[in-house]
Amino acid sequence: MRRILARVRTAVVAVVCTLAATVALPAAPAQAATHDPVLFVHGVYMDGPSTWTDMIADFEREGWDPDSLQMMNYNTIQGLEESAAEVVQEVAVLRARTGAAKVDIVTHSMGAPMVRWYLKFLGGTQYVDDFVSVAGGNHGGIGTEFCAPAQPSCQDMLMYSPFLAALNSGDETPGPTSYTSIWSSCDEFLNPDSTALLDGANNIWAGCVGHVSMVIWPPNFDRTQNAVA
């Protein structure tokens, strides 16, 4: 009888083990994607909210932590070297607040060459992982001739200005930072369109999109997020 009971117990254990092996265990919870904090920098005659509200909302929908997304506001009349010096503080504040070693920077229009000055001459490449220029006037030509007589930033944005000559001399994409330029062939302010392109960057054609619309056009949300992912 004992041998029979022992055999029954062994058979029951075997069945239970077999059933346990065939039951799929629940999948481990997916890990939330981690992203660098992002600093958004507007262009001439604009500010952070009027430029970036739509794009930032899409970043949040795609999983970016709202506390890691920061808009920079600055005086677009002052010279671009002066504005670039303010980026130093903006990046330092964002890094301190989030605890991140590096940040990403997304720019529009005049914000692109201004931030590139920070990267090239103010040590920014050690703190910036990815840089994105959306409709950036990287070689001037954004219709600033009308304001140049009275506005230092417009003087800096003139083609062949001393500011742009120094910025674009030698390596246009220095350091370990990854550079992306998203440009349009129908940009009414960038003439020629090629002023947006950067040697050594991932230059992405966005199609025929207006200058201001470049930062609110949904396909560019995806392109920007891919560039900083």
Side-chain angles (χ1 to χ4, degrees):
M1 177 63 72
R2 291 177 181 175
R3 285 197 297 270
I4 294 173
L5 290 175
R7 290 173 182 172
V8 170
R9 283 197 296 268
T10 301
V12 170
V13 170
V15 170
V16 170
C17 291
T18 301
L19 290 173
T22 60
V23 175
L25 295 175
Q31 296 296 312
T34 58
H35 305 285
D36 290 330
V38 185
L39 179 65
F40 294 85
V41 183
H42 63 81
V44 66
Y45 299 135
M46 303 292 284
D47 60 19
S50 64
T51 304
W52 301 115
T53 297
D54 290 349
M55 186 177 288
I56 286 178
D58 195 74
F59 266 70
E60 293 176 0
R61 285 191 294 269
E62 294 300 322
W64 269 259
D65 181 353
D67 291 335
S68 72
L69 306 175
Q70 177 172 309
M71 291 184 285
M72 174 182 176
N73 284 307
Y74 64 99
N75 180 355
T76 63
I77 294 177
Q78 68 191 9
L80 297 189
E81 290 184 45
E82 187 175 353
S83 297
E86 296 179 16
V87 180
V88 176
Q89 181 63 22
E90 290 282 336
V91 170
V93 168
L94 183 56
R95 291 178 61 239
R97 182 166 57 79
T98 60
K102 290 191 173 186
V103 304
D104 300 326
I105 302 184
V106 178
T107 65
H108 178 240
S109 190
M110 187 177 75
M114 182 269 281
V115 170
R116 287 179 54 224
W117 188 275
Y118 156 73
L119 293 172
K120 187 166 187 174
F121 297 114
L122 302 180
T125 57
Q126 64 181 313
Y127 301 119
V128 178
D129 189 22
D130 300 302
F131 166 83
V132 182
S133 163
V134 182
N138 289 304
H139 298 88
I142 63 169
T144 53
E145 294 85 356
F146 71 95
C147 60
Q151 190 165 318
S153 62
C154 292
Q155 295 167 18
D156 288 338
M157 287 305 301
L158 292 172
M159 281 189 170
Y160 312 114
S161 70
F163 173 86
L164 288 177
L167 179 62
N168 293 314
S169 175
D171 192 353
E172 294 186 355
T173 53
T177 302
S178 170
Y179 294 79
T180 299
S181 178
I182 303 172
W183 66 283
S184 166
S185 52
C186 298
D187 194 314
E188 67 274 26
F189 289 106
L190 298 186
N191 296 303
D193 299 323
S194 60
T195 188
L197 305 182
L198 287 171
D199 288 342
N202 181 20
N203 295 296
I204 301 173
W205 178 57
C208 182
V209 186
H211 186 72
V212 175
S213 297
M214 285 283 282
V215 291
I216 60 174
W217 195 46
N220 282 347
F221 300 166
D222 295 336
R223 294 183 177 106
T224 302
Q225 290 163 14
N226 289 336
V228 301

